[in-house]
């Protein structure tokens, strides 16, 4: 059924979101951080101040309830197509924010629809902008209201061989760890549900792969987490827990392009992160 | 410094301990349970009632504060030597108990001491016995008060080749996941602390290895978690996160003997589990 195009611009009421040191640890373990990244994967090591992984804000404050304005949605036909994140500051490991989600774009791809949901978060109580995340959702069977198709994705051209590649294994229970950070979609845990969606078994969260790629950007290019100012990528294919992810990176001045592949296929394309000077750390 | 032998029999005040469905999931993920063990590693799969892994009670209610009665202890010289657990019923995934720890045995091994701490837990509010755990702690430099040496460990004789072997990989961040279940000893997370204790890097918790062996007992022999009535083993050598554990099992009527080894060494010896009829499940 076509979406209701009048939903464009619909906005959720501001909602309070808070996070604790332990949440940051769980997120870090969920995207595979380990003994080489103790500042992220632990919260109690002497002389190792805890930090939040820069990709974690994609898990904070998103309110997909805003999609109600578009009419009934068949969630088994919705896939996460693209994710972006802009960071205005490094987030503290314990904090609170007010977040608002908004339908920022709506495209009619014929049989399918693309809905772009932006989420903005501002600190509590100082109201300073913390981050803006952008999720592009592709919904099969939800187009056809006669709207604009929107821009086509540019070709994912990259200048020759990557400057460097970082490979990370994922564990068989990677998705089961990652989902403790809040995304409990059964596509990532329930074999029966995954089978109905056409998969041989539950798949890894796209945002887990995104976080793993973010670790590679940080380790290989940015160094300090606060130097990542933005990061975005497209979800090109699904990943099964247990597969190894190879993140190919093309550093170029103040930015780095990246893709991520399994041994089988490219799973993240069009990856770009902007690298800037280290931010002042916001104490919790 | 020798322990004060008058500590024998010292007992902690009863303490309330409670656990939630999410704690059971975290424990299960901490001992490596995954997509093949969804009843333990998730708490929300349709048609898959959640269960607690039978070894989890070793993390519940233990109060090592009772060791204060023995005088000052150098914790860098203390190692977990042996662990036992008796289960009087299958525990619900959400519950509450009153637990009491007691110094049940005390042995003077010359330069070292062995302290055996028993912890008993009874259900709240019905007061029925739930489990009894037993931790034997070996403390270098804490013997020499002229007490009894106690029994020597019997040889770990096993009848020929194991009937079956189950191998489980551990991940590089296995100890960092496991410690979210409560044992935050920096020996398992802090490289500087581990170096002072003589290790090349942080080691896996002995009780994590114990839980992995328990998974093998359940999968290969007991079937249903409630059929494990007791399980015990000795910690023979340390494990580094990332090593693969091979659990060798010798089933024999109502019990099964087991050892666990890495590619390098036997790490759990003298393993025995008693297998009985399935218990009635206690609803949360």
């Amino acid at each position: 059924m076509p979406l209701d195009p009048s939903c464009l611009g619909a906005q959720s009421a501001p909602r309070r979101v808070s996070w604790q040191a332990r949440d940051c640890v769980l997120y870090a373990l969920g995207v595979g951080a380990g003994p080489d990244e103790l500042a992220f994967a632990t919260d109690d090591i002497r002389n190792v101040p805890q930090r939040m992984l820069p990709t974690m804000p994609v898990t904070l404050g998103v309110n997909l309830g805003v999609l109600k304005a578009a009419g009934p949605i068949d969630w088994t036909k919705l896939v996460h197509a693209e994710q972006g994140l802009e960071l205005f500051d490094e987030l503290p490991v314990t904090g609170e924010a007010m977040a608002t989600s908004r339908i920022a774009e709506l495209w009619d791809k014929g049989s399918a629809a693309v809905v772009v949901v932006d989420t903005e978060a501002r600190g509590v109580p100082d109201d300073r902008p913390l981050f803006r995340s952008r999720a592009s959702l592709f919904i099969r069977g939800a187009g056809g209201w006669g709207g604009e198709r929107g821009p086509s994705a540019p070709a994912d051209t990259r200048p020759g061989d990557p400057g460097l590649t970082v490979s990370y294994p994922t564990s068989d229970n990677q998705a089961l760890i990652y989902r403790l950070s809040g995304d409990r979609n059964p596509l990532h845990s329930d074999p029966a549900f995954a089978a109905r969606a056409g998969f041989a078994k539950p798949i890894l969260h796209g945002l887990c792969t995104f976080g793993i790629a973010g670790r590679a950007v940080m380790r290989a290019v940015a160094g300090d987490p606060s130097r990542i100012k933005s990061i975005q990528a497209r979800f090109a294919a699904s990943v099964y827990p247990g597969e190894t992810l190879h993140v190919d990176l093309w550093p170029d001045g103040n930015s780095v392009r990246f893709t991520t592949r399994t041994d089988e296929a490219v799973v993240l394309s069009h990856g770009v992160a902007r690298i800037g000077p280290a931010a002042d750390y916001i104490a919790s």
Side-chain angles (χ1 to χ4, degrees), chain A:
Chain A
M1 202 175 100
L3 299 185
D4 176 355
S6 74
C7 71
L8 183 64
Q11 187 161 319
S12 69
R15 194 158 68 168
R16 190 173 296 253
V17 55
S18 66
W19 58 95
Q20 306 291 328
R22 185 179 169 96
D23 299 322
C24 298
V25 169
L26 262 182
Y27 175 80
L29 295 171
V31 299
D36 294 339
E37 295 150 295
L38 285 179
F40 307 101
T42 63
D43 59 7
D44 61 352
I45 307 292
R46 187 191 293 255
N47 300 324
V48 180
Q50 192 190 358
R51 310 284 288 273
M52 180 194 281
L53 275 178
T55 51
M56 178 169 162
V58 300
T59 69
L60 299 173
V62 179
N63 187 348
L64 292 184
V66 75
L67 294 178
K68 279 182 197 145
I73 284 176
D74 180 348
W75 290 84
T76 66
K77 294 187 171 161
L78 181 151
V79 296
H80 200 158
E82 196 167 343
Q83 178 69 46
L85 176 66
E86 280 182 275
L87 294 156
F88 305 124
D89 234 327
E90 181 178 0
L91 268 63
V93 296
T94 300
E96 202 169 278
M98 292 302 288
T100 311
S101 293
R102 192 172 67 89
I103 298 184
E105 294 181 12
L106 191 65
W107 305 111
D108 184 352
K109 299 294 187 183
S111 66
V114 170
V115 184
V116 176
V117 177
D118 280 4
T119 299
E120 290 202 359
R122 305 180 76 92
V124 171
D126 61 8
D127 200 43
R128 73 166 151 175
L130 293 178
F131 63 86
R132 183 190 299 128
S133 66
R134 162 165 287 205
S136 297
L137 309 170
F138 185 90
I139 313 175
R140 281 180 291 134
W145 65 84
E148 285 184 46
R149 280 193 72 83
S152 296
D156 188 22
T157 53
R158 292 175 302 275
D161 291 339
L164 60 169
T165 297
V166 181
S167 295
Y168 290 121
T170 65
S171 64
D172 287 343
N173 62 11
Q174 198 73 59
L176 302 181
I177 302 170
Y178 182 80
R179 71 199 300 267
L180 295 179
S181 289
D183 182 349
R184 293 194 163 234
N185 186 332
L187 182 60
H188 310 296
S189 55
D190 184 342
F193 187 98
R196 285 198 297 277
F199 293 101
K201 56 181 185 173
I203 61 173
L204 198 61
H205 301 67
L207 286 181
C208 180
T209 303
F210 185 82
I212 291 169
R215 283 171 54 218
V217 169
M218 189 174 59
R219 156 164 280 187
V221 185
D224 192 87
S226 74
R227 294 192 62 215
I228 297 186
K229 304 303 180 184
S230 72
I231 180 168
Q232 66 185 66
R234 294 172 67 93
F235 300 105
S238 55
V239 176
Y240 288 116
E243 291 191 290
T244 293
L245 295 172
H246 310 285
V247 186
D248 294 322
L249 300 130
W250 288 261
D252 178 21
N254 290 331
S255 74
V256 54
R257 288 199 260 179
F258 63 94
T259 61
T260 303
R261 54 190 164 80
T262 61
D263 295 333
E264 309 292 326
V266 170
V267 296
L268 289 185
S269 68
H270 296 80
V272 185
R274 194 161 48 82
I275 312 297
D280 287 337
Y281 181 69
I282 312 172
S284 294

